[in-house]
Amino acid sequence: MERLLVLVRHGQSDWNLKNLFTGWKDPGLTEQGVAEAKAAGKRLKALGLTFDIAFTSDLSRAQHTCDLILKELGQESLETIRDQALNERDYGELSGLNKDDARKRWGEEQVHVWRRSYDVPPPGGESLKDTAARVLPYYIGEILPRVMRGEKVLVAAHGNSLRALVMVLDRLTPETIPTMELATGEPLVYRLKADTTVESKDVLKG
């Protein structure tokens, strides 16, 4: 039995382009972001992949990416579950700020700690550990059971919500996860064993 899980970070958003902290703010995709999402769908189609269900966040950039991928696959009517649990990390007071301006205000080292540490949150926001605390129960309760019974599952979400999943799937530690980046619109194709560990992983680069 195939146990397929595909993770895709949304295509480039308008605030990615402008170098702003986004978090739970809701900018749309840029033209490049739309192209990245379509390209992700084409790469999945080239492998002959289709899905039984899709999951995405409560934010439009992830939803639009999911819709564009499914359109490329000819699966526009696929059941898609949207949930806030898969939202991007909340950047709190950093949300909407230019990253260079934030460095000038708080200092390069402090902003780096907020961005890349595992368990230090920015003011009023979430750390990656906090993000994992809402993403992982949702994954274990809602997504993983479907994968384990043979459903082919697509998850279109965000850099940090997906990093929380990749941390578990790839068995990364709090010390190694800060260096791991997920490219926009680049599907990660996992096949799981019966014990829920990873049998294989492919990164579909452009």
Side-chain angles (χ1 to χ4, degrees):
M1 178 174 64
E2 185 176 40
R3 303 176 187 87
L4 180 72
L5 173 66
V6 175
L7 310 179
V8 187
R9 182 184 175 192
H10 63 78
Q12 182 193 65
S13 75
D14 183 56
W15 283 20
N16 292 147
L17 179 62
K18 294 176 180 176
N19 199 35
L20 306 180
F21 286 100
T22 310
W24 283 38
K25 302 296 184 181
D26 204 20
L29 298 180
T30 61
E31 288 185 15
Q32 179 180 322
V34 169
E36 288 173 347
K38 289 179 178 179
K42 287 182 170 70
R43 291 197 287 274
L44 293 168
K45 185 176 182 179
L47 291 180
L49 297 181
T50 56
F51 296 95
D52 297 305
I53 192 161
F55 290 86
T56 189
S57 77
D58 200 36
L59 299 169
S60 63
R61 59 192 183 276
Q63 294 171 9
H64 193 188
T65 297
C66 188
D67 291 344
L68 290 167
I69 289 171
L70 293 177
K71 185 174 182 180
E72 291 295 329
L73 296 172
Q75 292 193 278
E76 295 97 326
S77 61
L78 185 72
E79 180 184 0
T80 300
I81 298 174
R82 300 173 176 179
D83 200 286
Q84 185 173 292
L86 294 174
N87 277 15
E88 176 58 296
R89 171 185 172 189
D90 184 354
Y91 275 104
E93 291 181 22
L94 300 183
S95 299
L97 292 181
N98 182 281
K99 293 174 184 177
D100 292 331
D101 291 341
R103 292 184 187 101
K104 291 174 184 175
R105 179 174 174 182
W106 285 288
E108 178 88 32
E109 184 176 345
Q110 181 63 70
V111 172
H112 180 76
V113 168
W114 287 334
R115 290 188 68 196
R116 291 301 173 214
S117 69
Y118 176 66
D119 56 3
V120 180
E126 294 178 309
S127 65
L128 181 58
K129 182 179 180 180
D130 296 328
T131 306
R134 60 175 164 81
V135 173
L136 295 181
Y138 186 76
Y139 170 70
I140 292 167
E142 302 297 330
I143 298 174
L144 185 59
R146 291 177 179 269
V147 177
M148 299 313 294
R149 60 178 177 252
E151 293 184 41
K152 292 173 285 187
V153 177
L154 171 67
V155 179
H158 305 267
N160 284 294
S161 55
L162 293 178
R163 285 171 78 219
L165 291 183
V166 170
M167 184 175 178
V168 170
L169 290 164
D170 292 359
R171 297 187 174 186
L172 302 176
T173 67
E175 291 72 37
T176 58
I177 190 65
T179 63
M180 195 274 293
E181 289 282 355
L182 291 178
T184 52
E186 231 174 54
L188 306 179
V189 180
Y190 286 94
R191 289 177 172 85
L192 305 187
K193 299 177 185 177
D195 64 358
T196 75
T197 61
V198 175
E199 179 178 315
S200 68
K201 174 187 177 182
D202 295 299
V203 182
L204 304 187
K205 295 180 179 291

